[in-house]
Amino acid sequence: MKIEKSFMNNDESSLQQVNKHVLDSVQSITNQLVAEGYEIIFSGADGIICKKKNFEVQPLFHLVKNCSKEISFSMGVSPSLCDAFLALRYAKSNGKDTAAIHNLGFSLIR
């Protein structure tokens, strides 16, 4: 919403601040994921793609969710990259601060 509000108000300064906060948050989450043993496949813009053989979704979601009070993040989880993308789209369609798991159907975590 903050990004859209900046566009609608023609507020370049606000948009730059939001961008910096998003980039800083993504970098912070990436650093925490690396410290937790995740392999980073992609980290940039407003997203992170990582993998790890054994992990629990709930603690991972809390790590991401608690990184920023000003920005909400969605999360998609699945064994394959394509299905993780579908899970992410499903999470985003179900509201802010939501995670979706795709494994023979979808389940949500909030």
Side-chain angles (χ1 to χ4, degrees), residues 1-19:
M1 285 297 230
K2 291 181 181 189
I3 293 171
E4 290 86 356
K5 184 177 179 182
S6 297
F7 277 109
M8 297 305 292
N9 290 332
N10 285 318
D11 188 346
E12 291 178 15
S13 176
S14 175
L15 186 59
Q16 288 173 333
Q17 290 174 348
V18 171
N19 182 55

Side-chain angles (χ1 to χ4, degrees), residues 28-81:
S28 175
I29 293 169
T30 300
N31 293 342
Q32 291 179 53
L33 291 170
V34 169
E36 294 287 329
Y38 287 86
E39 178 184 343
I40 305 300
I41 298 168
F42 172 87
S43 176
D46 66 346
I48 302 164
I49 300 168
C50 65
K51 67 181 185 178
K52 185 176 180 182
K53 287 222 185 252
N54 298 309
F55 69 96
E56 293 182 36
V57 175
Q58 195 77 32
L60 175 61
F61 183 58
H62 285 295
L63 181 150
V64 171
K65 188 175 182 175
N66 293 327
C67 183
S68 175
K69 300 298 180 207
E70 293 106 33
I71 299 174
S72 63
F73 289 93
S74 299
M75 189 172 91
V77 178
S78 185
S80 79
L81 193 56

